[in-house]
Amino acid sequence: MASGELSCKGLTKVYSASNGRKALDSVDVRIPSRGIFSLIGMNGAGKTTLVRILATQLEPTSGAASIDGIDVVSQAARLRERIATVPQEARTVPWMTPKQTVLSYLMWRGTSYADASAKASEVLGRVGLGQQENVLTRRLSGGMKRKTLVATVLASEADIVFLDEPTTGLDPISRKELWAYLGTLAKDRFVILTTHYLEEAEELASCIGIMHMGRLVGLGSLDDLRASVKQQYSIRISAGSAVPEVKEGAVTRSRSGEAQILTTEAEAYGLSRLLLDAGAKFSMSKISLDDIFFHLVNRGDDEVSRR
Amino acid sequence: MKNYPVVLINTVLSPLSFLLLIAFVTKGQLLPDAIEGGFIMSMFNSGTSLQGDLAHLKNDFKLQDMVVSSPTSPAAYVTGMALAEVIYSTPALAVLTVLAAIYIHPGPLQVLELVSVFLLMFLTSIAIGYTLSTFSSDIVQSFAFSRLISTLFSTLPPVYYPITYIPLPFRYAAYLSPTTYAAEISQSATGLLSLSTAGTALAWVVLLVTTAILAVVAAKKARWREV
């Protein structure tokens, strides 16, 4: 079980064919290496680049990174003893069965055939693929293929696991099922998870990193991230209802005419009384990860445009 | 192989098709040379197939990334995948072994020499295939390279017939390929080609040095971790 910390200092990556554009721009991270650390961000934000560097697949241009004190560059061989990964766009080999997939992966990692075979069957049963373990993966659904890939790392002895967008393209039911397995996985391992789905990070992560244009614009637990935003409350007002004047917050409108006010706690209570008196249809809640994400990403855009 | 047995047909047909062609055209005169050529092509093509397969698994399935982030060393990965390629070649090698026993009748020392040459060919091609596969970012490009290397090193050089059949100026080009030396040693070992002791020694040196250089290049320059 990982029990130290994940640390990055000034981690920067410039790909040779990128005309000097920084895929990662001086990323600093220092978090405990336990639970699920979820990286969220838009396409091209730098999530995969960061994960590939931490998983020893890619060399950084500058800066340093370590997990539990093991440097990802100079001590890569030592770190590889403890890690396993399911890369973004990883696919199951269609001419192999789930059992062959997990078994061969375990044998690559040095497990004997007998142990790998037993472990593969046990883990595939645990993720609900016991009936399909000997069916060619090309005959399986997308969700089953993804579960097969997650089963490979679940079956390994690795205590640091990287999952790069493991639920992309899955239907909502398969996604929720996979969330349950990820929760199990994180009980005794450190999971680094990238995702496009903010609710996934909100549901699973003990620590969330928000990436935008190669930079880490937010880092911490959901409560930490909420605390970093001045406007902590969200009021959603149905289309047709009058929107009261807002002093400390910001108002946005959706295409359907629904208005959203992000504001401070004090103003939120004041506004809710006004809305109640006016008979408006509205709901009030603490800001969600979506709200925090859009706030931090927009702030990141402002900072970039000021440079 | 168990799941897609059809792939075996290609690995059997590819070396045997040239063998049949040479045997028919020369009315069986060069059949022993062609059998040895079939061995060389089979072993060399294991490496070129490895290149295509590794690139396919790396780019389309992200297998290399999964293996990099694990305790598996590059040497263990390549050895495992190379042995898998040999298994694919087993049917062709079995047919060629039977033909060799019937038409060449090699003695124990000759068998040892032939097996050594074929193993060197295998190592050479595996080193080339692995190195190129780690630089590949596209499977179409990779398969094009794989076919090109196969043509340049196992089809064009005098592998299925003696080098003396090639007009002199073209022999110099043929000597740029390690498969030419492998064929010379094999043909000389079984009495199909008259090669001086110095010529044989030179061919061995070229083959050994080429294999060693390519192995070092594979170990030092292949992109296991991307930069």
Side-chain angles (χ1 to χ4, degrees):
Chain A
M1 171 76 179
S3 57
E5 64 176 26
L6 163 64
S7 166
C8 301
K9 202 166 182 188
L11 202 62
T12 300
K13 179 67 190 178
V14 180
Y15 290 102
S16 54
S18 68
N19 288 328
R21 195 182 80 82
K22 291 176 178 171
L24 273 190
D25 188 355
S26 295
V27 169
D28 291 322
V29 177
R30 200 170 169 192
I31 57 165
S33 55
R34 58 176 174 268
I36 296 182
F37 172 41
S38 182
L39 284 165
I40 58 176
M42 296 188 291
N43 288 329
K47 307 182 298 289
T48 296
T49 300
L50 178 55
V51 162
R52 293 194 73 218
I53 290 173
L54 295 174
T56 74
Q57 295 161 12
L58 181 68
E59 284 185 13
T61 306
S62 62
S66 64
I67 304 176
D68 293 349
I70 307 170
D71 191 278
V72 301
V73 177
S74 63
Q75 296 172 296
R78 221 178 113 203
L79 189 59
R80 286 171 182 154
E81 298 284 335
R82 294 181 52 190
I83 62 176
T85 180
V86 177
Q88 189 184 19
E89 297 171 11
R91 290 198 290 135
T92 50
V93 178
W95 57 88
M96 289 172 79
T97 65
K99 181 156 185 188
Q100 288 169 339
T101 305
V102 179
L103 189 149
S104 59
Y105 179 74
L106 292 179
M107 288 181 72
W108 280 122
R109 296 185 69 99
T111 311
S112 69
Y113 177 83
D115 289 349
S117 179
K119 188 77 182 170
S121 291
E122 180 215 319
V123 171
L124 287 167
R126 225 192 304 157
V127 300
L129 288 176
Q131 302 285 319
Q132 291 82 19
E133 70 170 35
N134 292 317
V135 177
L136 291 181
T137 58
R138 68 188 158 99
R139 297 189 202 284
L140 300 180
S141 67
M144 288 173 172
K145 288 175 187 168
R146 275 278 157 194
K147 281 183 200 169
T148 301
L149 289 171
V150 173
T152 59
V153 295
L154 193 63
S156 78
E157 77 296 349
D159 65 343
I160 302 166
V161 172
F162 297 88
L163 299 168
D164 197 354
E165 298 183 13
T167 57
T168 298
L170 293 188
D171 64 75
I173 292 171
S174 297
R175 197 183 308 156
K176 292 259 171 160
E177 283 176 359
L178 207 50
W179 287 2
Y181 307 134
L182 296 182
T184 310
L185 192 65
K187 278 182 185 162
D188 53 0
R189 309 187 204 207
F190 179 37
V191 179
I192 295 146
L193 170 83
T194 76
T195 181
H196 281 302
Y197 303 111
L198 302 187
E199 73 273 24
E200 188 166 293
E202 200 163 354
E203 171 85 18
L204 294 171
S206 49
C207 184
I208 298 165
I210 299 176
M211 298 208 64
H212 185 56
M213 299 176 81
R215 290 178 306 117
L216 196 66
V217 294
L219 178 69
S221 66
L222 191 55
D223 286 338
D224 293 338
L225 291 171
R226 272 200 188 106
S228 71
V229 179
K230 190 182 166 198
Q231 294 130 350
Q232 303 244 330
Y233 277 79
S234 164
I235 300 173
R236 290 182 185 277
I237 304 165
S238 302
S241 297
V243 177
E245 189 185 340
V246 177
K247 289 174 185 164
E248 295 182 77
V251 182
T252 53
R253 284 181 192 278
S254 68
R255 281 186 193 160
S256 63
E258 186 188 70
Q260 185 187 16
I261 300 171
L262 294 182
T263 186
T264 59
E265 183 175 4
E267 186 173 40
Y269 282 105
L271 290 173
S272 66
R273 272 194 294 274
L274 285 174
L275 288 163
L276 278 172
D277 291 344
K281 286 184 178 174
F282 73 101
S283 64
M284 188 173 86
S285 62
K286 277 195 145 189
I287 52 171
S288 66
L289 185 57
D290 290 43
D291 301 321
I292 298 166
F293 177 77
F294 288 115
H295 174 82
L296 291 173
V297 163
N298 287 336
R299 196 174 68 184
D301 280 339
D302 292 344
E303 283 176 16
V304 168
S305 61
R306 274 200 300 273
R307 284 181 176 185
Chain B
M1 192 156 74
K2 184 178 128 194
N3 296 333
Y4 286 139
V6 69
V7 296
L8 287 179
I9 296 171
N10 183 47
T11 56
V12 175
L13 280 185
S14 188
L16 294 185
S17 57
F18 276 104
L19 184 148
L20 288 173
L21 184 73
I22 296 287
F24 288 146
V25 169
T26 64
K27 296 187 168 56
Q29 204 183 344
L30 291 183
L31 181 61
D33 304 68
I35 293 168
E36 289 175 4
F39 274 111
I40 292 170
M41 189 181 199
S42 273
M43 297 311 271
F44 195 86
N45 281 358
S46 293
T48 54
S49 301
L50 180 78
Q51 184 211 328
D53 289 347
L54 287 183
H56 183 39
L57 291 168
K58 169 181 174 262
N59 297 318
D60 298 338
F61 299 100
K62 305 295 171 195
L63 182 70
Q64 186 174 313
D65 279 351
M66 288 181 77
V67 178
V68 168
S69 298
S70 81
T72 312
S73 67
Y77 178 61
V78 177
T79 305
M81 298 303 274
L83 289 176
E85 296 292 346
V86 172
I87 290 170
Y88 276 111
S89 302
T90 309
L93 294 175
V95 172
L96 289 166
T97 303
V98 170
L99 290 174
I102 297 170
Y103 294 103
I104 303 176
H105 317 292
L109 276 177
Q110 291 169 315
V111 169
L112 189 66
E113 198 168 357
L114 291 175
V115 169
S116 303
V117 171
F118 300 154
L119 277 177
L120 280 178
M121 273 297 90
F122 179 61
L123 292 176
T124 301
S125 67
I126 292 297
I128 296 172
Y130 164 64
T131 308
L132 290 177
S133 78
T134 63
F135 286 91
S136 150
S137 56
D138 179 80
I139 192 59
V140 176
Q141 172 208 46
S142 182
F143 279 133
F145 264 109
S146 168
R147 280 193 292 268
L148 179 69
I149 288 167
S150 178
T151 305
L152 284 177
F153 291 109
S154 63
T155 309
L156 284 179
V159 169
Y160 280 82
Y161 49 89
I163 193 164
T164 48
Y165 279 58
I166 298 183
L168 191 60
F170 295 105
R171 285 187 204 173
Y172 299 116
Y175 278 120
L176 292 174
S177 168
T179 49
T180 301
Y181 299 94
E184 274 195 346
I185 296 169
S186 309
Q187 290 160 6
S188 167
T190 49
L192 303 172
L193 180 76
S194 176
L195 203 62
S196 67
T197 310
T200 308
L202 179 69
W204 272 110
V205 168
V206 170
L207 217 50
L208 286 165
V209 169
T210 306
T211 307
I213 289 172
L214 289 169
V216 170
V217 168
K220 301 276 181 198
K221 296 291 176 189
R223 267 193 201 162
W224 186 240
R225 177 185 356 212
E226 286 183 35
V227 290

